[in-house]
């Protein structure tokens, strides 16, 4: 039988030889990295004879009291029943109690085994059974911990390899794909955009190698770094803490196991970890909360994200301001503002582009549908699957797709944004309603855009996250959808005329005429679209005429919004001045969602080229590029919007006159009125639907439970937005003498 390899050494060696001599640079000792890490500024000295006597009297033991160094304000009476090994340095100890929440404990070191550690001023260490190679800040509380240990090859969750280690020990995050085809190396400070770029461009080996070099460059690969616990951090009632770096003001209680982690905490956000959590090989950013039986392995949590109630996060990146409760998430890259709250939700091998909400019973994972490598799913911004939704990989969804409850047994490619996708069980076909959000769910759509901005707790906003539902990505998707609807309508109409061999061009031409005429005959035709579902059954488009015109209206509204902003920013006072201020040419560029930040495809390609050429050679420089793009975003968005307005309205803005500007302003105001009305109507359904009202004996009871519709804060806010916009439009007309 194979036996455990138990070796013996002398008791005097305990606490020494943390770094093997082969890994200590010439002229250095085993404490050289420890001394660099300890920035307390405390002047340590040897113990006096009286202090040694007091320590012995208080049942403390040490093989060599000369290896215990203390500050001038050290009080030996506050150290009791401890075993010391190796070099231990202790700061100020004063007869106070430290209080945190309901916890009140006396300053000092008690009932603990301490091996080669540094302590700041006025710490509490009580009943730490085994503590080795840690640097502890000021006013830290450590009580009832079984094991608090750092090894000489600690990486603190970063995917690096230390001196003398094999490449096989490197930690990778296998995001977006179960078979590691898009794996990335995790590092402290990794942003959602970094993970996206690294996982996306898998056809560029030179770029992938540069990403690896950038990561390696961030770290010193020498052995011998100590674990740290930052000032005022509280850790209590925990079992195993190994190779963990903890920032300031963190609160950790009742964790079962924490291994190979960086836990950022401090002024940018206090991080909290609660009972029963098991966390291994991870990076936790500022302001995160992890509670109640969470299991996380090979993971990154971006700032102000949360894991709760038994959530499982494995081989995944969770974006900023996101929350996962109860669910299981594997091999996924999740952009900011994701919500998933239900115990039987499952998410695997997915890229979610933010502002998503996964309902109970959702099964968004590969079901091993072939003998090839398991598939992937890409969900655009605002993805929202309903209760008990099941999808088949590979699937891809445009922005703000909502899936009605159902088992989607075939691969899907939903290219039309703001759509409701559902299954018609009677006819056994898939149905797709474009612009569903605009027509029937405007309250949620507009409120979510406001909510995500309001709830963004990041203090480090390196990446500018776009939360507006009208943005370059969604506008481009709507533009791409118009010819798809035109083709579907034209083909359906011509087939009714018994025409065969209908070309794509002819179908688009006919459909465009019918739709632009707003011909209500379209409503009487069954309209089907191809390329949406990988099956032989038909996919029916619903309310195509209304959807088509809503898309045009919203594209135009987006353009006019940016036009009026352009006028304000440029302080334009006349039509000739406006004509002159427009750019020489209007180009509606392609955009990518890079971790929640929208960047033109051209700029992303430029970034990649600069990384490959070495012009950008650190991750900090990559992040500076994000910042620069964020500063340029408003101007780039305006150019995109003006190009969109030109294209959708067939207006030459360089020759715009008072009449054309007046028509645009009137159209924008009309759209704002429709938005405000639809916000009210979509919420009003909750108060007028018979099956909702049946729960209440009176309107007063309903209002006390739901809140009064008339007093709804968000609706009142939107009515004020309309009032303000009405005044603004009137002001523009006056300004241009319209």
């Amino acid at each position: 039988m194979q036996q455990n390899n138990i070796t013996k050494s002398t008791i005097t060696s305990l606490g020494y030889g943390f770094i093997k001599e082969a890994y200590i640079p010439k002229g250095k000792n085993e404490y050289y990295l420890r001394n660099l890490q300890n920035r307390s500024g405390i002047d340590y000295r040897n113990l006096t004879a009286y202090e040694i006597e007091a320590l012995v009297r208080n049942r403390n033991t040490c093989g060599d009291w000369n290896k215990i160094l203390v500050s001038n304000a050290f009080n030996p009476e506050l150290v009791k029943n401890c075993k010391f090994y190796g070099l231990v340095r202790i700061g100020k100890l004063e007869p106070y109690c430290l209080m945190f929440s309901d916890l009140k404990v006396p300053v000092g070191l008690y009932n603990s085994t301490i091996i080669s550690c540094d302590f700041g001023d006025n710490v509490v260490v009580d009943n730490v059974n085994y503590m080795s190679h840690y640097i502890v800040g000021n006013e830290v509380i450590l009580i009832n911990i079984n094991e608090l240990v750092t090894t000489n090859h600690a990486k603190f969750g970063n995917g690096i390899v230390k001196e003398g280690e094999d490449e096989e020990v490197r930690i990778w995050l296998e995001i977006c794909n179960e078979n590691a085809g898009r794996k990335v190396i995790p590092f402290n400070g990794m942003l959602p955009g970094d993970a996206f770029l690294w996982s996306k461009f898998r056809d560029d080996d030179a770029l992938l190698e540069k990403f690896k070099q950038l990561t390696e460059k961030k770290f010193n690969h020498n052995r011998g770094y100590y674990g740290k616990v930052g000032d005022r951090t509280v850790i209590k009632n925990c079992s195993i803490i190994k190779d963990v770096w903890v920032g300031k003001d963190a609160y950790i209680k009742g964790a079962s196991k924490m291994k190979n982690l960086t836990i950022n905490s401090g002024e940018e956000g206090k991080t909290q970890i609660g009972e029963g959590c098991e966390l291994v090989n991870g990076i936790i950013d500022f302001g995160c909360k992890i509670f109640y039986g969470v299991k996380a392995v090979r993971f990154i949590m971006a700032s102000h994200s949360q894991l709760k109630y038994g959530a499982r996060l494995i081989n995944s990146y969770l974006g900023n301001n996101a929350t996962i409760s109860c669910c299981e998430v594997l091999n996924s890259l999740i952009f900011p503002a994701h919500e998933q709250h239900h115990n039987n939700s499952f998410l695997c091998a997915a890229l979610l582009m933010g502002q998503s909400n996964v309902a109970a019973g959702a099964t968004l994972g590969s079901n091993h549908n072939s003998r090839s490598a398991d598939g992937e799913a890409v969900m655009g911004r605002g993805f929202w699957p309903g209760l008990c939704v099941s999808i088949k990989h590979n699937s891809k969804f445009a922005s703000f797709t909502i899936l009605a409850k159902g088992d989607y047994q075939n691969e899907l490619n939903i290219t039309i944004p703001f759509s409701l996708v559902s299954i018609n069980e009677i006819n056994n076909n898939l149905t797709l309603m474009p612009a569903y959000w605009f027509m029937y769910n405007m309250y949620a759509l507009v409120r979510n855009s406001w909510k995500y901005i309001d709830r963004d707790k990041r203090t480090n906003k390196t990446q500018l996250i776009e939360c507006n539902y009208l943005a370059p990505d969604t506008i481009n998707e709507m533009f791409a959808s118009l010819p798809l609807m035109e083709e579907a309508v034209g083909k359906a109409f011509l087939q009714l005329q018994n025409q065969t061999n209908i070309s794509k061009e002819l179908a688009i031409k006919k459909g465009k005429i019918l739709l632009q005429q707003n011909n209500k005959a379209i409503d009487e035709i069954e309209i089907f679209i191809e390329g949406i579902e990988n099956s032989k059954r038909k996919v029916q488009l619903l309310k195509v005429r209304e959807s088509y015109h809503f898309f045009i209206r919203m594209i135009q509204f987006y353009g006019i919004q940016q036009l009026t902003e352009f006028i304000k920013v440029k302080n334009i006072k006349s039509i000739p001045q406006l004509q002159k201020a427009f750019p020489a040419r209007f180009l509606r560029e392609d955009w990518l969602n890079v971790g929640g930040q929208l960047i033109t495809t051209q700029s992303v390609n430029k970034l990649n080229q600069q990384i490959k050429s070495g012009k950008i050679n650190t991750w900090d420089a990559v992040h500076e590029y994000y910042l620069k793009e964020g500063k340029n975003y408003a101007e780039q968005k305006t150019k995109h919007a003006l190009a969109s307005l030109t294209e959708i309205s067939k207006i030459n803005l360089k020759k715009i006159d008072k009449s054309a500007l007046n028509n645009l302003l009137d159209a924008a105001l009309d759209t704002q009125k429709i938005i405000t009305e639809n916000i009210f109507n979509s919420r009003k359904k909750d108060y007028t639907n018979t099956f909702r009202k049946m729960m209440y004996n009176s309107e007063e009871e309903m209002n006390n439970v739901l809140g009064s519709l008339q007093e709804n804060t968000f609706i009142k806010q939107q009515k004020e937005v309309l009032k303000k916009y009405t005044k603004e439009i009137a002001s523009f007309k006056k300004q241009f003498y319209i």
Side-chain angles (χ1 to χ4, degrees), residues 598-647:
L598 300 185
I599 304 177
T600 64
T601 301
Q602 182 181 8
S603 292
V604 172
N605 292 338
K606 180 180 178 182
L607 169 61
N608 290 344
Q609 288 299 324
Q610 290 185 358
I611 292 171
K612 288 195 292 184
S613 69
K615 185 175 181 180
I616 290 178
N617 57 12
T618 65
W619 280 113
D620 287 341
V622 173
H623 297 170
E624 284 294 326
Y625 195 93
Y626 296 154
L627 281 169
K628 184 189 73 174
E629 288 298 311
K631 291 175 182 176
N632 294 334
Y633 178 64
E635 182 180 351
Q636 292 174 328
K637 184 177 181 179
T638 297
K639 290 180 179 178
H640 178 270
L642 295 176
S644 301
L645 181 59
T646 300
E647 185 176 345

Side-chain angles (χ1 to χ4, degrees), residues 108-112 114 119 123-128 131 142-143:
L109 281 58
Y110 309 102
N111 310 306
S112 301
I114 298 169
F119 298 95
V123 300
V124 176
V125 179
D126 192 354
N127 198 30
V128 179
M131 178 178 181
L142 306 173
I143 60 173

Side-chain angles (χ1 to χ4, degrees), residues 642-698:
L642 295 176
S644 301
L645 181 59
T646 300
E647 185 176 345
I648 203 69
S649 300
K650 303 295 187 292
I651 293 175
N652 184 349
L653 292 178
K654 296 289 287 184
K655 297 181 180 180
I656 194 170
D657 56 21
K658 289 182 180 181
S659 176
L661 181 58
N662 182 64
N663 291 338
L664 290 177
L665 294 175
D666 285 344
L669 182 57
D670 186 47
T671 300
Q672 185 62 62
K673 290 177 180 177
I674 291 173
I675 290 172
T676 305
E677 182 181 355
N678 284 1
I679 287 171
F680 179 80
N681 290 337
S682 60
R683 183 62 173 143
K684 183 180 177 182
K685 290 182 292 186
D686 296 332
Y687 291 82
T688 57
N689 183 285
T690 302
F691 287 91
R692 289 183 178 271
K693 291 177 68 175
M694 70 183 182
M695 307 308 297
Y696 314 104
N697 293 330
S698 66

